[in-house]
PDB file of all heavy atoms in Angstrom:
ATOM      1  N   SER A1425     -32.979  17.448   0.824  1.00 94.00           N
ATOM      2  CA  SER A1425     -32.691  16.727  -0.415  1.00 94.00           C
ATOM      3  C   SER A1425     -33.423  17.405  -1.557  1.00 94.00           C
ATOM      4  O   SER A1425     -34.390  18.140  -1.349  1.00 94.00           O
ATOM      5  CB  SER A1425     -33.105  15.254  -0.310  1.00 94.00           C
ATOM      6  OG  SER A1425     -34.506  15.152  -0.093  1.00 94.00           O
ATOM      7  N   VAL A1426     -32.944  17.151  -2.763  1.00 93.00           N
ATOM      8  CA  VAL A1426     -33.561  17.729  -3.946  1.00 93.00           C
ATOM      9  C   VAL A1426     -33.452  16.724  -5.090  1.00 93.00           C
ATOM     10  O   VAL A1426     -32.411  16.089  -5.276  1.00 93.00           O
ATOM     11  CB  VAL A1426     -32.881  19.067  -4.326  1.00 93.00           C
ATOM     12  CG1 VAL A1426     -31.418  18.863  -4.659  1.00 93.00           C
ATOM     13  CG2 VAL A1426     -33.593  19.732  -5.484  1.00 93.00           C
ATOM     14  N   PRO A1427     -34.545  16.504  -5.832  1.00 90.00           N
ATOM     15  CA  PRO A1427     -34.450  15.614  -6.993  1.00 90.00           C
ATOM     16  C   PRO A1427     -33.741  16.312  -8.145  1.00 90.00           C
ATOM     17  O   PRO A1427     -33.827  17.530  -8.299  1.00 90.00           O
ATOM     18  CB  PRO A1427     -35.915  15.327  -7.330  1.00 90.00           C
ATOM     19  CG  PRO A1427     -36.652  16.534  -6.845  1.00 90.00           C
ATOM     20  CD  PRO A1427     -35.919  17.013  -5.622  1.00 90.00           C
ATOM     21  N   VAL A1428     -33.042  15.538  -8.933  1.00 86.00           N
ATOM     22  CA  VAL A1428     -32.379  16.058 -10.127  1.00 86.00           C
ATOM     23  C   VAL A1428     -32.906  15.282 -11.315  1.00 86.00           C
ATOM     24  O   VAL A1428     -32.801  14.053 -11.353  1.00 86.00           O
ATOM     25  CB  VAL A1428     -30.850  15.918 -10.021  1.00 86.00           C
ATOM     26  CG1 VAL A1428     -30.177  16.435 -11.289  1.00 86.00           C
ATOM     27  CG2 VAL A1428     -30.335  16.667  -8.809  1.00 86.00           C
ATOM     28  N   GLY A1429     -33.491  15.974 -12.268  1.00 66.00           N
ATOM     29  CA  GLY A1429     -34.135  15.322 -13.405  1.00 66.00           C
ATOM     30  C   GLY A1429     -33.163  14.577 -14.291  1.00 66.00           C
ATOM     31  O   GLY A1429     -31.975  14.892 -14.334  1.00 66.00           O
ATOM     32  N   PRO A1430     -33.646  13.565 -15.023  1.00 58.00           N
ATOM     33  CA  PRO A1430     -32.779  12.785 -15.908  1.00 58.00           C
ATOM     34  C   PRO A1430     -32.177  13.615 -17.038  1.00 58.00           C
ATOM     35  O   PRO A1430     -31.174  13.239 -17.620  1.00 58.00           O
ATOM     36  CB  PRO A1430     -33.719  11.704 -16.454  1.00 58.00           C
ATOM     37  CG  PRO A1430     -35.098  12.251 -16.278  1.00 58.00           C
ATOM     38  CD  PRO A1430     -35.041  13.086 -15.051  1.00 58.00           C
ATOM     39  N   GLU A1431     -32.776  14.776 -17.342  1.00 58.00           N
ATOM     40  CA  GLU A1431     -32.229  15.612 -18.412  1.00 58.00           C
ATOM     41  C   GLU A1431     -30.914  16.261 -17.999  1.00 58.00           C
ATOM     42  O   GLU A1431     -30.201  16.820 -18.837  1.00 58.00           O
ATOM     43  CB  GLU A1431     -33.238  16.698 -18.796  1.00 58.00           C
ATOM     44  CG  GLU A1431     -33.487  17.758 -17.727  1.00 58.00           C
ATOM     45  CD  GLU A1431     -34.492  17.328 -16.666  1.00 58.00           C
ATOM     46  OE1 GLU A1431     -34.982  16.185 -16.763  1.00 58.00           O
ATOM     47  OE2 GLU A1431     -34.780  18.124 -15.757  1.00 58.00           O
ATOM     48  N   ALA A1432     -30.564  16.143 -16.696  1.00 54.00           N
ATOM     49  CA  ALA A1432     -29.350  16.813 -16.218  1.00 54.00           C
ATOM     50  C   ALA A1432     -28.094  16.273 -16.884  1.00 54.00           C
ATOM     51  O   ALA A1432     -27.110  16.990 -17.020  1.00 54.00           O
ATOM     52  CB  ALA A1432     -29.239  16.663 -14.704  1.00 54.00           C
ATOM     53  N   GLY A1433     -28.116  15.025 -17.285  1.00 52.00           N
ATOM     54  CA  GLY A1433     -26.906  14.460 -17.876  1.00 52.00           C
ATOM     55  C   GLY A1433     -26.885  14.507 -19.383  1.00 52.00           C
ATOM     56  O   GLY A1433     -25.977  13.960 -20.007  1.00 52.00           O
ATOM     57  N   LYS A1434     -27.846  15.165 -20.009  1.00 57.00           N
ATOM     58  CA  LYS A1434     -27.971  15.104 -21.464  1.00 57.00           C
ATOM     59  C   LYS A1434     -27.400  16.312 -22.182  1.00 57.00           C
ATOM     60  O   LYS A1434     -27.167  16.259 -23.380  1.00 57.00           O
ATOM     61  CB  LYS A1434     -29.443  14.931 -21.840  1.00 57.00           C
ATOM     62  CG  LYS A1434     -30.047  13.621 -21.339  1.00 57.00           C
ATOM     63  CD  LYS A1434     -31.509  13.490 -21.733  1.00 57.00           C
ATOM     64  CE  LYS A1434     -32.092  12.183 -21.238  1.00 57.00           C
ATOM     65  NZ  LYS A1434     -33.530  12.040 -21.587  1.00 57.00           N
ATOM     66  N   ALA A1435     -27.195  17.413 -21.498  1.00 60.00           N
ATOM     67  CA  ALA A1435     -26.688  18.607 -22.153  1.00 60.00           C
ATOM     68  C   ALA A1435     -25.979  19.470 -21.138  1.00 60.00           C
ATOM     69  O   ALA A1435     -26.182  19.344 -19.929  1.00 60.00           O
ATOM     70  CB  ALA A1435     -27.841  19.386 -22.806  1.00 60.00           C
ATOM     71  N   ALA A1436     -25.138  20.382 -21.656  1.00 66.00           N
ATOM     72  CA  ALA A1436     -24.380  21.244 -20.768  1.00 66.00           C
ATOM     73  C   ALA A1436     -25.291  22.089 -19.902  1.00 66.00           C
ATOM     74  O   ALA A1436     -25.025  22.297 -18.717  1.00 66.00           O
ATOM     75  CB  ALA A1436     -23.449  22.132 -21.590  1.00 66.00           C
ATOM     76  N   ALA A1437     -26.389  22.590 -20.480  1.00 70.00           N
ATOM     77  CA  ALA A1437     -27.320  23.414 -19.710  1.00 70.00           C
ATOM     78  C   ALA A1437     -27.957  22.603 -18.588  1.00 70.00           C
ATOM     79  O   ALA A1437     -28.129  23.089 -17.471  1.00 70.00           O
ATOM     80  CB  ALA A1437     -28.394  23.986 -20.627  1.00 70.00           C
ATOM     81  N   GLY A1438     -28.293  21.349 -18.890  1.00 78.00           N
ATOM     82  CA  GLY A1438     -28.869  20.490 -17.866  1.00 78.00           C
ATOM     83  C   GLY A1438     -27.880  20.183 -16.757  1.00 78.00           C
ATOM     84  O   GLY A1438     -28.238  20.139 -15.575  1.00 78.00           O
ATOM     85  N   GLU A1439     -26.620  19.969 -17.138  1.00 84.00           N
ATOM     86  CA  GLU A1439     -25.586  19.711 -16.136  1.00 84.00           C
ATOM     87  C   GLU A1439     -25.412  20.920 -15.221  1.00 84.00           C
ATOM     88  O   GLU A1439     -25.307  20.782 -13.999  1.00 84.00           O
ATOM     89  CB  GLU A1439     -24.271  19.381 -16.825  1.00 84.00           C
ATOM     90  CG  GLU A1439     -24.281  18.062 -17.590  1.00 84.00           C
ATOM     91  CD  GLU A1439     -22.987  17.861 -18.361  1.00 84.00           C
ATOM     92  OE1 GLU A1439     -22.041  18.642 -18.126  1.00 84.00           O
ATOM     93  OE2 GLU A1439     -22.939  16.943 -19.184  1.00 84.00           O
TER      94      GLU A1439
END
Side-chain angles (χ1 to χ4, degrees):
S1425 62
V1426 62
V1428 179
E1431 68 278 1
K1434 297 180 180 179
E1439 293 175 11

